[in-house]
Amino acid sequence: MSTSCGNPNAESDALMPRRRKFDRSKLCIKCKINQGNIVIRHAVYCKDCFLPMMYNKIKRTIEPTINPTPEGPRKKNLNPSGNLVIAFSGGLGSTVLLDVIYRGYFSSRRPRGETNTLSEGKDPKKERVWKEGKVCYVEVCGAFHGMRDRTDDVRRIVERYDDLEFVPLRIEDAFDESWWESVDLILSPCSRNGTPLSALCNYLSSLPAPTAIPSTLQTLTRLLLLHTALSTHSSHLALGTCLTSLSISLVSLVAQGGGFNLKEEVQEEWSPDSLSRSKGRSVRVVRPLKDIVMKECAMYAWWKGLEIVGQETWPGARQGISRITKDFIIGLEKDYPSTVSTIARTCAKLSPKDHAVGTCILCNRPAQPGVQEWKNRISIRSLSTDPPVSSEKASLAPYLCYACHTTLTSKSSK
Amino acid sequence: MPQRCCQYAGWQLPSLTEDYGTFCRLRRNDCGVTAVHISLKVEFGGGLELLFDNQRSHKLTLPARVPLDNSTSSPPSSPPSPQNNEYEGETKPVDVAYLIHWLRHHLLKERAELFMEGDTVRPGILVLINDTDWELEGEGEYVIKNGDEVVFISTLHGG
């Protein structure tokens, strides 16, 4: 096969010149004095300008979400209605988030209600925004045989941050009735033999495809974090999802049938039920790093000397949609760094056509109407020409959103 | 005859008391490059050290001139000569591209696909040369100098 473009004026051995990775010169675009140390989306920054730039970007993302109602034209003091839970996975994003939030909103400020000197008065900028902060970690090693328990490694890192309480959880807590009672959620009694861990393993082994396992674990982790936040009187749950991870999760969510919940994937206001919502009991899930790419997080962690515990790769994850999407987008980011932000911006413009008809009983996110009717229309359920007879057996299907329905029923092609 | 330390440099005859084989001065600027070997420090971060025997920091010595095709199997067989026309074609000053291949073949203990993809580092691995993004230094084409510090950081641990 000829690889020539056919242009007789072109040299046959000519190579396309490589596009520069940065605009203009190697000088920092902010101070215009120092030589640059890092290139972020074609812009060059020196180390001295990079760190304040990153703090300001995170501040601009998180502060509008702190007060219960959005700010009007006049900027108000930061006054959340509850405490803060920082979700910590051991990964790069959550490690950076923990450090930034602690430096900006805890260590540099005095506890709420405390006044050091008379002259200091009650300057709100010197007071902590949240009264209490907790760092919540969900250990998933129980789901995979042979995976190392990293709770102690995570505890060691979190304990370096004074005044933040470490709250360790385990993924099998989702199947532990006593844990649900401890977070003030009363479940209907069910007859089940075995431990929560065995229940978790049975649940995962019954899933129809490898992709369903990381999706399920993400859903269970999210629910554990939300209920922990609610039970600790926290108004905010902060996740360490950076822009790169957000773009990956948005594309992956659409690929797995979760497009109806794109807005919730970026930011959501969650309540366990309508009664709690009417009483104002809700948790706002925020992603302060959503405008920070993974490269910025890595440079911050390196220059601040942060220790990254890391996340173990789940066995079989290579076959899943999430992993394939991650490999694709990280490869895209290398050559076209602006593409990642384009994905997030485009997804932010999307909104579902239909209104939600309730909440999915599995993932607790808004559920769209007509899930089962749609599934029936797009798939062959039976070779018989007779209309299907509706079963009298109780079924979860009518109460699930499309994404959870797909997770529980969509079989692997292998 | 003194040896040229790199293709861009002039050379001048050192004094009779100097050691020919170890040091060469440039006519224009003093690059401090040894004629035969370059010493550098390599560090790994973000979990990448797990692939390199869990050792974060390594001190390496590499040949000053290396094969053009980044082959790391054997060193150049004879000292280069200015009269040898194959000198310029067969070898090049040691650069980051060669360093990556060298690390892959001599230091990496497991899972090479987590470090390299094709002829360069896998997407998601950042490279710093003397605390500066390698994109500002020419990436793999940056010619390593004596005493340089190269850091490889993995960003693949996600959020």
Side-chain angles (χ1 to χ4, degrees), chain B:
Chain B
M1 289 289 286
Q3 296 174 338
R4 292 175 68 168
C5 62
C6 68
Q7 61 182 326
Y8 303 108
W11 46 270
Q12 64 185 43
L13 287 172
S15 69
L16 291 174
T17 56
E18 280 190 24
D19 183 350
Y20 282 91
T22 57
F23 197 75
C24 176
R25 285 191 178 273
L26 292 182
R27 186 172 294 162
R28 276 189 295 281
N29 51 320
D30 182 358
C31 73
V33 175
T34 60
V36 180
H37 291 112
I38 302 288
S39 294
L40 69 148
K41 184 179 170 191
V42 172
E43 275 204 64
F44 300 102
L48 212 49
E49 60 272 23
L50 294 171
L51 303 180
F52 293 90
D53 215 12
N54 221 1
Q55 191 178 336
R56 194 175 141 118
S57 187
H58 301 257
K59 279 193 165 52
L60 307 180
T61 303
L62 296 178
R65 292 203 68 87
V66 295
L68 202 63
D69 60 356
N70 296 319
S71 165
T72 60
S73 52
S74 57
S77 55
S78 59
S81 160
Q83 285 78 33
N84 187 353
N85 288 334
E86 293 177 356
Y87 179 95
E88 298 298 332
E90 283 184 349
T91 61
K92 60 172 179 175
V94 62
D95 56 14
V96 174
Y98 179 83
L99 171 64
I100 291 168
H101 282 81
W102 191 94
L103 291 171
R104 153 76 180 93
H105 287 112
H106 295 282
L107 226 55
L108 191 66
K109 298 295 176 191
E110 56 180 313
R111 307 290 304 276
E113 72 278 8
L114 296 183
F115 179 63
M116 268 187 88
E117 188 177 280
D119 272 336
T120 186
V121 286
R122 185 187 172 194
I125 293 181
L126 304 187
V127 184
L128 298 182
I129 303 170
N130 300 324
D131 216 27
T132 300
D133 193 341
W134 77 332
E135 291 179 4
L136 288 166
E137 303 284 23
E139 294 187 38
E141 292 169 3
Y142 171 84
V143 174
I144 301 175
K145 299 188 291 297
N146 209 38
D148 276 351
E149 184 175 305
V150 183
V151 179
F152 296 88
I153 306 170
S154 171
T155 66
L156 299 170
H157 287 300

Side-chain angles (χ1 to χ4, degrees), chain A residues 38-43 45 49-58 60 92-93 96-97 100 242-244 288-304 306 333 337 340-341, chain B residues 126 133 153 155:
Chain A
I38 184 171
V39 180
I40 301 291
R41 286 185 265 179
H42 302 284
Y45 298 96
C49 293
F50 169 76
L51 293 172
M53 182 267 297
M54 193 152 147
Y55 288 133
N56 285 336
K57 263 210 283 191
I58 294 171
R60 280 201 303 270
L92 177 59
V96 169
L97 176 72
V100 168
C242 65
L243 179 58
T244 313
L289 302 184
K290 67 177 183 175
D291 291 326
I292 309 288
V293 293
M294 204 169 274
K295 185 175 180 179
E296 291 174 275
C297 291
M299 292 313 304
Y300 180 93
W302 179 256
W303 279 333
K304 288 292 186 184
L306 301 182
E333 190 179 26
V340 166
S341 65
Chain B
L126 304 187
D133 193 341
I153 306 170
T155 66

Side-chain angles (χ1 to χ4, degrees), chain A residues 325-340:
Chain A
T325 310
K326 181 177 179 180
D327 289 343
F328 168 68
I329 289 186
I330 289 185
L332 200 65
E333 190 179 26
K334 184 182 176 186
D335 291 323
Y336 304 97
S338 303
T339 320
V340 166

Side-chain angles (χ1 to χ4, degrees), chain A residues 235-287:
Chain A
S235 54
H236 291 80
L237 170 64
L239 305 183
T241 316
C242 65
L243 179 58
T244 313
S245 298
L246 182 63
S247 300
I248 293 167
S249 67
L250 288 170
V251 171
S252 177
L253 188 68
V254 171
Q256 295 178 72
F260 192 78
N261 298 124
L262 276 180
K263 283 202 179 326
E264 283 76 20
E265 189 66 13
V266 180
Q267 182 174 319
E268 67 177 305
E269 195 90 24
W270 175 85
S271 290
D273 48 54
S274 51
L275 180 63
S276 300
R277 197 174 297 118
S278 63
K279 289 182 180 176
R281 279 188 82 215
S282 65
V283 177
R284 186 172 288 171
V285 183
V286 296
R287 288 168 169 82

Side-chain angles (χ1 to χ4, degrees), chain A residues 89-382:
Chain A
S89 66
L92 177 59
S94 51
T95 304
V96 169
L97 176 72
L98 176 59
D99 193 77
V100 168
I101 296 247
Y102 181 74
R103 284 172 192 270
Y105 298 98
F106 284 89
S107 69
S108 56
R109 302 179 184 220
R110 63 173 187 276
R112 285 174 83 98
E114 191 183 289
T115 311
N116 283 339
T117 63
L118 287 173
S119 60
E120 212 172 43
K122 283 199 170 185
D123 183 1
K125 286 187 185 166
K126 291 193 169 44
E127 209 173 45
R128 283 185 191 168
V129 173
W130 291 277
K131 193 176 171 189
E132 287 176 23
K134 297 176 198 305
V135 180
C136 194
Y137 168 69
V138 181
E139 176 57 62
V140 298
C141 72
F144 304 105
H145 178 69
M147 188 181 271
R148 192 173 68 87
D149 189 330
R150 296 172 311 132
T151 307
D152 288 337
D153 292 336
V154 171
R155 185 193 308 273
R156 182 170 46 80
I157 297 214
V158 174
E159 281 177 353
R160 292 175 192 164
Y161 298 95
D162 298 329
D163 302 318
L164 290 180
E165 182 188 341
F166 180 51
V167 180
L169 302 177
R170 304 191 75 82
I171 193 73
E172 55 265 32
D173 289 343
F175 293 84
D176 187 351
E177 286 179 30
S178 60
W179 187 85
W180 288 105
E181 284 169 15
S182 71
V183 294
D184 301 327
L185 191 70
I186 303 191
L187 302 176
S188 306
C190 66
S191 59
R192 188 185 60 225
N193 297 323
T195 62
L197 186 59
S198 60
L200 169 70
C201 293
N202 286 339
Y203 183 77
L204 294 178
S205 62
S206 66
L207 292 172
T211 279
I213 295 177
S215 303
T216 301
L217 291 174
Q218 274 172 13
T219 300
L220 294 176
T221 300
R222 188 178 134 266
L223 290 172
L224 289 172
L225 292 171
L226 287 170
H227 283 280
T228 299
L230 199 68
S231 69
T232 56
H233 311 290
S234 300
S235 54
H236 291 80
L237 170 64
L239 305 183
T241 316
C242 65
L243 179 58
T244 313
S245 298
L246 182 63
S247 300
I248 293 167
S249 67
L250 288 170
V251 171
S252 177
L253 188 68
V254 171
Q256 295 178 72
F260 192 78
N261 298 124
L262 276 180
K263 283 202 179 326
E264 283 76 20
E265 189 66 13
V266 180
Q267 182 174 319
E268 67 177 305
E269 195 90 24
W270 175 85
S271 290
D273 48 54
S274 51
L275 180 63
S276 300
R277 197 174 297 118
S278 63
K279 289 182 180 176
R281 279 188 82 215
S282 65
V283 177
R284 186 172 288 171
V285 183
V286 296
R287 288 168 169 82
L289 302 184
K290 67 177 183 175
D291 291 326
I292 309 288
V293 293
M294 204 169 274
K295 185 175 180 179
E296 291 174 275
C297 291
M299 292 313 304
Y300 180 93
W302 179 256
W303 279 333
K304 288 292 186 184
L306 301 182
E307 182 186 345
I308 314 287
V309 173
Q311 292 172 300
E312 288 213 32
T313 306
W314 299 336
R318 291 198 77 86
Q319 307 162 20
I321 291 176
S322 302
R323 181 55 186 266
I324 295 169
T325 310
K326 181 177 179 180
D327 289 343
F328 168 68
I329 289 186
I330 289 185
L332 200 65
E333 190 179 26
K334 184 182 176 186
D335 291 323
Y336 304 97
S338 303
T339 320
V340 166
S341 65
T342 303
I343 292 172
R345 270 204 313 274
T346 304
C347 287
K349 296 177 190 172
L350 299 174
S351 60
K353 202 168 55 172
D354 302 315
H355 293 291
V357 290
T359 308
C360 174
I361 60 166
L362 183 54
C363 69
N364 260 203
R365 278 181 163 170
Q368 63 269 59
V371 169
Q372 281 187 285
E373 290 78 6
W374 173 261
K375 289 262 184 191
N376 286 339
R377 281 208 305 275
I378 64 168
S379 57
I380 297 172
R381 295 296 179 99
S382 167

